[in-house]
C-alpha cells in the first residue's frame, strides 16, 4: 500500500500573493500551488506537488507509446559535438544550442533533441530489413537556450520532452509510423483531459515535408491558428485502434486531418475561405507536440543503412516525434482552471482526492478521516489528507488552489448523521453520503481513467 500523505508533514509551499513575474495563469498557479521554483531563467526545480503531476503525465505518455508498439530507452543529456558535425547541424543550430567543453577540451553539448544520437545507435546495431520496423523513444531533459524563456514551464530552457524515432524500410512503412504516432498522440492528450488539434505545420530545423503540430487552444498560446470549428468536436474516445493495421490507422488520421486546421506558418487564406463562414475560426494555441517524417535526411548523412530483401544496401527511412512533457502541465492548467485555482483532470491529478478535516483534534472527526484514508489507500486511491490545525476556510482555499478534482469534507456535524460530503472541484456541487459510499463513488470515477 502507498504511504499516507498528510499535509502537516508534506512539503507544499503555497504562496498567498500573486507572484509579480508570472504573466499567465498557469505560471501563476504553478508558483502559488508550490509546484515549481525558478532557479535561473527558464530553469526550474520541481517541488513535490509539481513532480507528482509530471510523473503522471510521463506515465500516460509511456503507456500510450508502449501500446503503439514503441520501445523505451534512455539516451544521455550530454552529447559529443562530433555527432552533430556529421549531420551538419552543429553549425546550423546556432545560439539555441548550449555548448560545453570537458576537462580534456572536448566539445560537448546539452542535447536539444536526439536525431543524431539515435541514428548513431541504429547504425551500430541494425543492418537488415528483418529488424524493421523499429521505433525507439525516451523521455529526457532537453536544453535550448531560448531567446525569451517565459511563461514558466511553457517556454523553459531546460524542459522535459518525449522524443521518439522510427526506422522503416520504405516510405510507405515510415508514413504508417507517422500515422501511428498521430493516433497515439491523440489518445495521449485525451487521457490528460485535453483537446489537442493536429495542424499542418512547417518543419524548421528538423527538416522534411510531412509534419503536424498538436495545438491546445488557449488565448495565451504563442501560435496563431486558423481552423474549422468542427475540428474541435472530433474525439478518439474509447475506440480500440489496431496499431498494426495500416488502413485503419490511416483512416483515423484522415478523420482528424481533413477539416481545415493550420498554424500561421502554413495558413492559406484561399483554402480557408472554402470553410463555411460561421465555422471559420482564428485563435491562438499552445504547441504540445509535433510529428515529422523526414525520410533519409539523417540516415544518408550519417550512414545508417539496411540491406533490403533484394540484398541492396539502402539508407533507412526515418521520422521523429516529440511531446512537450513539462510544457503540458502549463497547457493543462491554461485549459482547466477558475479564479480559485487549478482544476486537474482526473487523468493527471497529483492526488485523486483530498480529505478536509473540519475539526482537527475532535476524536470522531480524526478517526473518521483516518479510516477514510485507509479505505481509499486500500483501493489504490492515494488521498491528500489536510490534517493541519487550520480554519476550514484556509483548508478549502488550499484544496481549491492545488486543484484536486474531488474533496471529501469530514466534520462532527455530518458524522453525527453518519455522513461526509463529496465535492466536485469542477462543478462545485457537494453531495452528502456515508464514507463508504464516497469511497465507492471515487473508485467508480477513477476506474474509467
Ligand atoms: P516551439 O515552436 O514552441 O519553440 P519547437 O517546434 O521548436 O517548439 P519541437 O522541436 O517540435 O519544438 O519539440 C517538441 C515539443 O517540445 C514541442 O511541441 C513543445 O511541446 C516542446 N517544447 C519545445 N520547446 C520547448 C521549450 N522551450 N519549453 C518547453 N517545451 C518545449
Ligand atoms: Mg515543434
Amino acid at each position: 500500500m502507498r504511504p499516507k500523505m498528510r499535509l502537516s508533514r508534506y512539503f507544499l509551499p503555497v504562496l498567498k500573493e500573486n507572484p509579480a513575474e508570472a504573466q499567465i495563469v498557469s505560471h501563476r498557479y504553478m508558483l502559488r500551488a508550490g509546484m515549481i521554483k525558478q532557479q535561473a531563467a527558464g530553469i526550474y526545480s520541481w517541488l513535490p506537488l509539481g513532480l507528482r503531476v509530471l510523473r503522471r503525465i510521463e506515465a500516460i505518455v509511456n503507456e500510450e507509446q508502449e501500446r503503439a508498439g514503441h520501445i523505451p530507452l534512455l539516451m544521455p543529456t550530454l552529447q559529443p559535438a562530433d555527432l552533430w558535425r556529421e549531420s551538419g547541424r552543429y553549425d546550423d543550430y546556432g545560439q539555441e544550442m548550449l555548448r560545453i567543453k570537458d576537462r580534456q577540451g572536448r566539445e560537448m553539448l546539452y542535447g536539444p533533441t536526439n536525431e543524431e544520437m539515435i541514428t548513431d545507435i541504429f547504425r551500430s546495431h541494425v543492418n537488415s530489413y528483418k529488424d524493421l520496423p523499429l521505433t525507439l523513444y525516451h523521455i529526457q531533459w532537453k536544453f535550448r537556450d531560448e531567446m525569451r524563456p517565459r511563461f514558466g514551464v511553457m517556454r523553459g530552457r531546460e524542459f522535459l520532452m518525449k522524443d521518439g524515432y522510427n526506422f522503416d524500410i520504405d516510405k510507405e512503412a515510415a508514413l504508417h509510423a507517422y500515422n501511428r504516432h498521430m493516433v497515439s498522440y491523440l489518445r495521449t492528450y485525451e487521457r490528460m483531459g485535453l483537446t489537442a488539434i493536429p495542424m499542418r505545420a512547417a518543419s524548421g530545423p528538423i527538416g522534411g515535408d510531412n509534419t503536424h503540430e498538436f495545438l491546445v487552444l488557449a488565448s495565451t498560446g504563442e501560435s496563431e491558428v486558423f481552423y474549422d470549428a468542427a475540428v474541435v468536436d472530433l474525439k478518439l474516445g474509447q475506440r480500440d485502434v489496431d496499431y498494426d493495421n495500416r488502413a485503419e490507422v490511416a483512416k483515423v488520421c484522415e478523420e482528424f486531418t481533413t477539416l481545415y486546421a493550420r498554424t500561421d506558418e502554413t495558413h492559406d487564406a484561399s483554402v480557408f475561405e472554402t470553410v463555411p463562414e460561421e465555422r471559420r475560426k482564428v485563435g491562438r494555441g499552445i504547441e504540445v507536440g509535433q510529428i515529422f517524417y523526414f525520410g533519409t535526411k539523417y540516415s544518408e548523412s550519417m550512414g545508417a543503412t539496411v540491406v533490403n530483401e533484394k540484398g541492396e544496401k539502402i539508407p533507412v527511412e526515418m521520422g521523429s516525434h516529440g511531446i512537450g512533457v513539462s510544457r503540458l502541465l502549463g497547457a493543462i492548467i491554461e485549459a482547466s482552471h477558475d479564479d480559485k485555482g487549478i482544476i486537474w483532470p482526473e487523468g493527471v491529478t497529483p492526488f485523486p482526492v483530498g480529505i478536509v478535516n473540519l475539526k482537527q483534534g475532535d476524536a470522531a472527526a480524526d478517526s473518521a478521516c483516518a479510516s477514510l484514508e485507509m479505505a481509499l489507500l486500500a483501493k489504490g486511491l492515494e488521498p491528500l489528507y489536510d490534517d493541519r490545525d487550520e480554519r476550514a476556510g484556509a483548508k478549502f482555499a488550499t484544496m481549491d488552489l492545488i486543484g484536486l478534482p474531488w474533496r471529501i469534507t469530514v466534520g462532527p456535524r455530518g458524522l453525527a448523521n453518519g455522513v461526509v460530503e463529496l465535492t466536485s472541484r469542477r462543478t462545485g456541487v457537494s453531495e452528502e453520503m456515508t464514507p463508504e459510499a464516497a469511497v465507492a463513488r471515487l473508485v467508480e470515477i477513477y476506474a474509467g481513467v
Side-chain angles (χ1 to χ4, degrees):
M1 203 154 43
R2 304 277 304 162
K4 294 173 185 162
M5 291 304 223
R6 297 191 169 184
L7 257 188
S8 63
R9 297 195 196 167
Y10 199 53
F11 182 61
L12 185 73
V14 162
L15 307 180
K16 291 226 166 54
E17 303 298 325
N18 269 329
E21 73 268 28
Q23 301 163 31
I24 61 170
V25 69
S26 56
H27 189 194
R28 204 150 56 229
Y29 283 153
M30 285 183 78
L31 291 170
R32 282 197 48 209
M35 296 176 67
I36 51 171
K37 180 184 185 315
Q38 183 174 310
Q39 307 292 169
I43 300 178
Y44 292 87
S45 287
W46 291 80
L47 305 183
L49 192 76
L51 181 63
R52 287 183 75 99
V53 182
L54 194 67
R55 292 279 185 256
R56 278 298 309 146
I57 291 177
E58 277 186 73
I60 292 175
V61 169
N62 272 314
E63 281 169 31
E64 293 308 326
Q65 287 308 298
E66 296 200 54
R67 193 197 303 279
H70 307 158
I71 304 167
L73 49 44
L74 186 60
M75 291 175 271
T77 53
L78 295 183
Q79 307 185 17
D82 282 345
L83 211 46
W84 287 67
R85 292 205 170 91
E86 290 188 45
S87 69
R89 284 208 297 180
Y90 191 62
D91 295 325
D92 293 353
Y93 229 92
Q95 299 263 64
E96 262 194 26
M97 179 182 275
L98 181 65
R99 295 155 207 260
I100 306 162
K101 272 201 182 125
D102 70 11
R103 66 198 297 169
Q104 262 82 34
R106 276 186 292 251
E107 290 174 279
M108 313 282 288
L109 58 101
Y110 194 128
T113 176
N114 286 63
E115 280 79 8
E116 285 77 1
M117 189 168 277
I118 199 81
T119 306
D120 178 56
I121 292 173
F122 182 89
R123 71 182 172 187
S124 306
H125 299 288
V126 184
N127 47 38
S128 163
Y129 72 94
K130 289 180 192 153
D131 296 322
L132 305 182
L134 179 66
T135 295
L136 300 169
Y137 78 95
H138 71 165
I139 299 179
Q140 178 63 291
W141 294 93
K142 304 288 186 288
F143 196 95
R144 294 183 187 174
D145 205 349
E146 301 274 358
M147 179 98 87
R148 282 184 68 202
R150 57 183 186 153
F151 300 161
V153 300
M154 205 79 99
R155 182 164 298 283
R157 291 197 296 164
E158 188 186 44
F159 60 97
L160 191 59
M161 196 208 284
K162 170 263 158 181
D163 42 323
Y165 306 86
N166 67 283
F167 300 91
D168 288 278
I169 193 67
D170 53 27
K171 182 170 180 181
E172 217 189 357
L175 288 175
H176 171 58
Y178 182 88
N179 290 344
R180 204 173 57 229
H181 278 88
M182 181 177 292
V183 176
S184 71
Y185 278 25
L186 289 169
R187 193 185 286 279
T188 301
Y189 299 124
E190 279 188 23
R191 281 188 60 189
M192 297 176 189
L194 283 175
T195 301
I197 304 166
M199 300 201 181
R200 273 263 286 275
S203 68
I206 307 274
D209 305 327
N210 272 59
T211 175
H212 280 85
E213 287 178 350
F214 292 79
L215 285 113
V216 173
L217 297 176
S219 57
T220 46
E222 293 188 286
S223 315
E224 190 173 22
V225 296
F226 303 81
Y227 60 98
D228 181 330
V231 80
V232 181
D233 300 325
L234 297 174
K235 289 278 174 303
L236 195 61
Q238 296 300 316
R239 284 183 238 189
D240 206 8
V241 179
D242 173 1
Y243 281 111
D244 290 329
N245 183 329
R246 289 188 186 184
E248 187 182 340
V249 171
K251 196 153 171 286
V252 177
C253 292
E254 195 188 316
E255 181 186 332
F256 279 83
T257 54
T258 301
L259 292 168
Y260 193 92
R262 297 193 192 184
T263 64
D264 49 0
E265 291 164 341
T266 54
H267 176 57
D268 181 336
S270 61
V271 184
F272 194 41
E273 266 165 32
T274 63
V275 177
E277 196 175 352
E278 69 282 4
R279 295 203 330 239
R280 241 179 269 159
K281 301 278 179 207
V282 181
R284 304 201 68 82
I286 301 166
E287 182 195 326
V288 291
Q290 185 163 11
I291 55 177
F292 302 87
Y293 160 71
F294 48 68
T296 57
K297 178 177 155 89
Y298 298 92
S299 53
E300 269 185 60
S301 58
M302 296 183 63
T305 56
V306 281
V307 173
N308 68 14
E309 267 182 273
K310 294 184 212 143
E312 302 156 342
K313 212 172 178 190
I314 54 165
V316 70
E317 287 275 332
M318 293 174 63
S320 72
H321 316 276
I323 293 183
V325 172
S326 50
R327 178 180 286 182
L328 271 165
L329 276 94
I332 293 168
I333 297 173
E334 290 296 323
S336 185
H337 67 267
D338 63 14
D339 57 4
K340 293 190 213 130
I342 303 165
I343 306 174
W344 291 116
E346 275 88 356
V348 299
T349 185
F351 295 93
V353 54
I355 300 174
V356 168
N357 186 341
L358 291 178
K359 200 163 184 202
Q360 209 67 45
D362 175 271
D366 290 1
S367 108
C369 286
S371 335
L372 254 176
E373 185 181 39
M374 286 309 288
L376 287 162
L377 281 171
K379 296 288 184 191
L381 296 172
E382 203 176 0
L384 179 65
Y385 172 18
D386 190 346
D387 62 336
R388 296 171 306 162
D389 190 14
E390 282 274 357
R391 289 176 303 108
K395 291 189 175 186
F396 290 150
T398 300
M399 284 293 174
D400 285 346
L401 174 64
I402 70 172
L404 308 187
W406 297 94
R407 185 184 81 209
I408 301 178
T409 310
V410 179
R413 206 175 320 150
L415 288 176
N417 299 317
V419 295
V420 297
E421 212 176 61
L422 181 67
T423 307
S424 156
R425 174 69 181 85
R426 190 169 294 279
T427 63
V429 173
S430 293
E431 257 184 276
E432 287 193 335
M433 57 186 83
T434 62
E436 295 74 28
V439 173
R441 175 78 66 83
L442 289 166
V443 167
E444 198 182 306
I445 290 166
Y446 282 98
V449 172

